[in-house]
Amino acid sequence: VIMPYGDCGDFDLYDNYRTARSNLATNLTDMLPVNVTPVGSQPCGTFGLHRQLTTLQQLYNDGDAVLLANIGTLIEPVTKAQYYNPRANPVRLPPSLYSHNS
């Protein structure tokens, strides 16, 4: 639904996205751009929405919608150290973390 589009500083996050998603990646020409406000609050200054989400784009541009990325089903906050070393840093994780079918 929301993808890197441009103004990502020294990094080409769209290229990273395209590499990770390979043939499932959406082309830049098929995205609806949305500008991030406040400027500098996100890794990219512009993100892209799927081209059929014109109403969402308009609501966002009008200030009547927000876009939330990387939300999921965490039971409690978890750090990278806790995730990679659960025995030393116990934390409860959901059973299907990173799955797309739950």
Side-chain angles (χ1 to χ4, degrees):
V1 174
I2 185 169
M3 300 147 282
Y5 187 89
D7 302 322
C8 302
D10 294 336
F11 302 99
D12 186 350
L13 294 182
Y14 175 77
D15 187 54
N16 290 354
Y17 156 78
R18 190 178 68 232
T19 299
R21 300 291 293 173
S22 75
N23 65 329
L24 298 176
T26 301
N27 292 321
L28 284 171
T29 56
D30 292 330
M31 292 184 199
L32 301 171
V34 291
N35 295 316
V36 173
T37 55
V39 173
S41 63
Q42 295 296 317
C44 295
T46 307
F47 284 92
L49 298 175
H50 188 277
R51 68 178 178 212
Q52 293 182 343
L53 297 176
T54 55
T55 301
L56 179 59
Q57 181 194 36
Q58 187 63 51
L59 288 168
Y60 180 84
N61 290 340
D62 291 344
D64 294 323
V66 297
L67 302 171
L68 301 173
N70 298 323
I71 60 170
T73 59
L74 287 179
I75 298 167
E76 59 185 293
V78 60
T79 67
K80 191 175 184 179
Q82 289 171 315
Y83 177 78
Y84 284 112
N85 196 356
R87 289 187 179 157
N89 302 294
V91 64
R92 295 180 304 154
L93 297 173
S96 299
L97 190 60
Y98 298 115
S99 72
H100 286 81
N101 63 349
S102 59

